[in-house]
Amino acid sequence: MRVVILPTDQEASNFVADFIEKLIIDKENAVLGLATGSSVLLTYEALIKKYQSGEMSFKNITTFNLDEYIGLKPDHIQSYRHYMNRKLFNHIDIDHKKNYIPECFNKDYELSCENYESKIRQNGGIDLQLLGIGTNGHIGFNEPTSSLNSRTRVKTLTQNTIKNNSRFFENNEIQPSIAITMGIGTIMEAQNIILIGLGKHKSKAVADLVEGPVSSFCPGSALQNHGNVVVVLDNLAASNLKLYDYYIHTEKMYQEYMC
Ligand code: GLP
């Protein structure tokens, strides 16, 4: 696991955007796994800027989002489809027909999940999966005690996640408590994974993910078993890491000898 610690959220997000850009330069028809939430917003802004300045194009890119709320139609302002259109897709030259998000408005959820897994396979799998992390260590909506081999499925959200995400909802808005999420097994099949953690409130989950035991109680810790993971943190999110100095040193060595 490569752990990159940068002073600010902006620098961490720029690093992630540069990483995505490099992947797309190497493989212009890459398949990206994308995430929602606040941690990825500056990364998406940086990618939009790269597109607007002519630095990169997304026209041959296919995307698969991690998760979607059950009960929200794609045009609902709180749906992750709406979020992705608003925060990224509407601002770049991506083909909207190739932006997949779990279908949560058709009542046959099991079929939706199976179809999602097949679609990922038909597209050759995910080249790079972008992740955030929940304060309870979740990735996607794989809550604590999710099977580390889980596939795309319906998941009931914890009270902790519902409370954390309530900031996005107005008082009178219905907030879903179930979602379809890629499983941990699905995420682990991506060729490369990049996770961004920002802010002090993520520091415990980040420490559990990077340095804790591999345990379904911290779903993100499964990433310790993946060979190509980069964890990108701002200083606040890194503040609970026992080997903080070591990660700073190894990244310096990496930049000196590998770049
Ligand atoms: C959400 C999403 C995750 C996201 C995480 C962190 O509930 N399902 O994909 O990474 O929780 O969210 P945020 O970045 O807003 O802290």
Side-chain angles (χ1 to χ4, degrees):
M1 187 178 276
R2 179 176 166 200
V3 180
V4 180
I5 303 170
L6 291 159
T8 64
D9 55 357
Q10 188 64 61
E11 285 159 282
S13 305
N14 290 347
F15 181 99
V16 176
D18 289 347
F19 195 93
I20 294 171
E21 182 185 13
K22 270 188 217 118
L23 176 99
I24 294 177
I25 289 169
D26 286 350
K27 190 176 180 188
E28 62 161 28
N29 63 344
V31 178
L32 294 181
L34 296 178
T36 51
S38 51
S39 311
V40 290
L41 285 175
L42 290 173
T43 299
Y44 291 158
E45 277 177 22
L47 288 174
I48 293 167
K49 277 197 195 128
K50 284 176 186 290
Y51 164 70
Q52 286 170 342
S53 66
E55 220 178 297
M56 65 187 291
S57 165
F58 295 82
K59 69 174 188 298
N60 295 315
I61 297 298
T62 301
T63 64
F64 285 90
N65 260 77
L66 282 167
D67 43 25
E68 179 60 287
Y69 286 120
I70 284 185
L72 300 188
K73 294 228 165 90
D75 60 354
H76 191 289
I77 189 159
Q78 295 295 358
S79 73
Y80 282 164
R81 166 73 68 184
H82 202 281
Y83 167 108
M84 288 307 301
N85 287 340
R86 229 171 41 240
K87 301 297 184 189
L88 184 63
F89 298 152
N90 287 348
H91 308 284
I92 55 176
D93 62 343
I94 204 157
D95 178 354
H96 287 233
K97 288 193 292 298
K98 293 197 292 191
N99 301 146
Y100 298 99
I101 296 185
E103 283 188 13
C104 288
F105 44 94
N106 157 7
K107 284 252 178 307
D108 195 344
Y109 303 129
E110 214 169 297
L111 184 66
S112 272
C113 296
E114 276 169 28
N115 287 344
Y116 207 61
E117 291 273 339
S118 316
K119 259 288 173 254
I120 295 174
R121 274 196 303 274
Q122 281 161 23
N123 280 276
I126 291 172
D127 293 299
L128 174 64
Q129 177 66 56
L130 171 64
L131 296 174
I133 180 155
T135 55
N136 62 3
H138 75 213
I139 49 175
F141 268 137
N142 293 285
E143 298 285 34
T145 72
S146 287
S147 160
L148 301 185
N149 290 321
S150 49
R151 312 299 309 184
T152 302
R153 69 206 184 294
V154 174
K155 197 71 200 159
T156 303
L157 308 183
T158 59
Q159 281 308 311
N160 173 74
T161 297
I162 293 170
K163 190 164 157 270
N164 283 347
N165 286 353
S166 65
R167 69 189 193 279
F168 298 115
F169 290 79
E170 301 293 336
N171 281 341
N172 57 351
E173 260 181 332
I174 295 172
Q175 186 183 352
S177 59
I178 44 175
I180 289 182
T181 180
M182 271 187 209
I184 298 174
T186 321
I187 292 169
M188 291 290 283
E189 280 172 10
Q191 293 290 323
N192 299 277
I193 296 179
I194 188 159
L195 180 142
I196 182 160
L198 303 175
K200 180 86 187 152
H201 62 301
K202 296 293 173 74
S203 60
K204 182 182 181 304
V206 163
D208 289 345
L209 181 152
V210 176
E211 296 176 336
V214 174
S215 156
S216 65
F217 209 65
C218 174
S221 66
L223 302 183
Q224 291 176 28
N225 281 326
H226 193 288
N228 292 307
V229 178
V230 186
V231 173
V232 185
L233 306 168
D234 66 3
N235 242 325
L236 291 170
S239 59
N240 263 343
L241 290 170
K242 293 191 186 81
L243 296 185
Y244 178 96
D245 294 338
Y246 175 68
Y247 306 129
I248 297 278
H249 176 68
T250 48
E251 185 56 21
K252 207 168 141 229
M253 294 288 110
Y254 187 93
Q255 293 296 340
E256 227 165 276
Y257 296 106
M258 309 288 280
C259 293

